Amino acid sequence: MHCVQNITQDILFLGASDRRLALFENVFPIPRGISYNSYLVKDEKTILLDTADNAVGERFLENLAYGLEGRPLDYVVVNHMEPDHAATLMEVLKTYPQAQVVGNAKTIAMIGQFFDCDISGRAVTVKEGDTLNTGRHTFTFLMAPMVHWPEVMVTYDAADKVLFSADAFGTFGALSGNIFADEVNFEQDWLDDARRYYANIVGKYGVQVQTLLKKAAGLDIAYLCPLHGPIWRENIGWFVEKYQTWSTYAPEEKAVAIFCGSVYGHTENAADIVANCLAEKGVKGIRLYDVSKTDVSELVSEAFRCSHLVLASATYNGGIFTPMENFLLDLKAHNLQNRTVAVIDNGTWAATAGKQMREIVEAMKNMTVLENGVSLKSSVKEAQRAELEALADTLAADILA
Ligand code: FEO
């Protein structure tokens, strides 16, 4: 049974949500599910923009059949070949044998890699700025390599001023009937997941996102249609500004997150002391995370949000406590930059985690590691409380400046 909504008079939303999947890409927890968006434009010719994941394939194909109302499908645009959007492409091509596949050269090659099928006779290969007219609508194809794969492109419809933005402007989270961002409280209920999606999925590719934002700035956009999450038709500039911040690795807020890797609670005690000192000095909105208990995708997301990071880790097997090391390597892999970082380590016979944490952070761009780190021997002694307070002093002065 179909589940379709109109975006404009002749543009339909055909997507569906998966609330059963535990891990997106088999790595990122999605307790609120995920939507796979697909769009059908019913012009003189019919044109489908991306397909959907296999998990929702049956519903998506029913939606497509309903949307077409018995008409043939003329074109399928593949903006992104990742299987969460393209797994059902071959099923669509089998069901609608006259449909032509529109993609760039990289996309067409990837289709041959994923599917054992020769589509050369029905491929329309496009490059930057090429257009396709379907009657009232004219679609322009703009390349967006590495947002999030090398073949990614976005498609702009000048008639209804719609940017089909592929993974850009997507978010984790299933859609619950309200497919538009202005129908939900996005800032309250979605922003954290949108940031976590951005930081973990495309955070590494800030330069390429900047290139896409520059292209988008030249377009008159009334509808922003991503492949995941709500569609934007109001206050688009607010969300674009978030992307501007995230893709330039600027902190979203002047705020502190304390990340703590503690084996028996002594390192956590030091982290708590710093948190309390910061609060006493007037710092608000402090977040303290146990890196063993919090999924690393959330930790990475918080590092993208906050200007100041405190890393407190036990020494483990002569190195950094494993979950903390995993977190820091993930941050480095995602190109995080421009943060102020305080380091606390702990060790019973040799506290080496601090030195190694510094080495990882200092290898990242424009990171300021505070000089007055604190090194503990097994537990916090009264004599070292002053060192932790001094560290909090430095942080608070910077945050509240
Ligand atoms: Fe939603 Fe990069 O796929």
Side-chain angles (χ1 to χ4, degrees), residues 20-40:
R20 297 193 295 172
L21 185 69
L23 299 174
F24 181 71
E25 292 186 356
N26 210 14
V27 62
F28 305 112
I30 44 167
R32 299 172 61 234
I34 185 114
S35 77
Y36 304 105
N37 301 351
S38 168
Y39 304 95
L40 177 68

Side-chain angles (χ1 to χ4, degrees), residues 24-25 34-36 80-86 147-149 151-152 166-168 170 197 201-202 227-228:
F24 181 71
E25 292 186 356
I34 185 114
S35 77
Y36 304 105
H80 186 12
M81 195 46 214
E82 194 166 3
D84 55 332
H85 310 294
V147 185
H148 139 238
W149 277 17
E151 88 298 357
V152 170
D167 273 344
Y197 171 90
I201 304 292
V202 279
L227 288 175
H228 301 286

Side-chain angles (χ1 to χ4, degrees), residues 6 11 43 101 128 151 155 178 220 228 230 246 255-256 305 317 336 352-353 367 395:
N6 274 79
I11 301 182
D43 203 357
V101 186
E128 177 75 16
E151 88 298 357
T155 301
N178 294 126
D220 184 5
H228 301 286
W246 296 335
V256 59
R305 182 180 65 85
N317 286 333
L336 187 76
T352 58
M367 301 294 264
L395 283 166

Side-chain angles (χ1 to χ4, degrees), residues 227-258:
L227 288 175
H228 301 286
I231 295 159
W232 291 78
R233 58 184 177 184
E234 291 178 14
N235 215 8
I236 292 172
W238 177 85
F239 201 33
V240 171
E241 195 53 43
K242 291 290 180 196
Y243 262 62
Q244 180 67 23
T245 300
W246 296 335
S247 63
T248 52
Y249 303 99
E252 191 179 338
E253 294 177 33
K254 215 163 184 194
V256 59
I258 302 170

Side-chain angles (χ1 to χ4, degrees), residues 170-247:
T171 172
F172 296 131
L175 293 171
S176 302
N178 294 126
I179 63 168
F180 296 102
D182 54 275
E183 296 176 333
V184 298
N185 188 334
F186 194 91
E187 188 163 7
Q188 178 186 292
D189 298 331
W190 287 82
L191 180 58
D192 284 348
D193 256 345
R195 183 188 306 107
R196 189 165 66 92
Y197 171 90
Y198 176 86
N200 289 279
I201 304 292
V202 279
K204 180 180 175 66
Y205 306 110
V207 170
Q208 291 86 345
V209 173
Q210 278 284 298
T211 303
L212 176 59
L213 290 178
K214 287 190 180 84
K215 289 184 188 182
L219 303 171
D220 184 5
I221 300 171
Y223 297 88
L224 190 53
C225 293
L227 288 175
H228 301 286
I231 295 159
W232 291 78
R233 58 184 177 184
E234 291 178 14
N235 215 8
I236 292 172
W238 177 85
F239 201 33
V240 171
E241 195 53 43
K242 291 290 180 196
Y243 262 62
Q244 180 67 23
T245 300
W246 296 335
S247 63

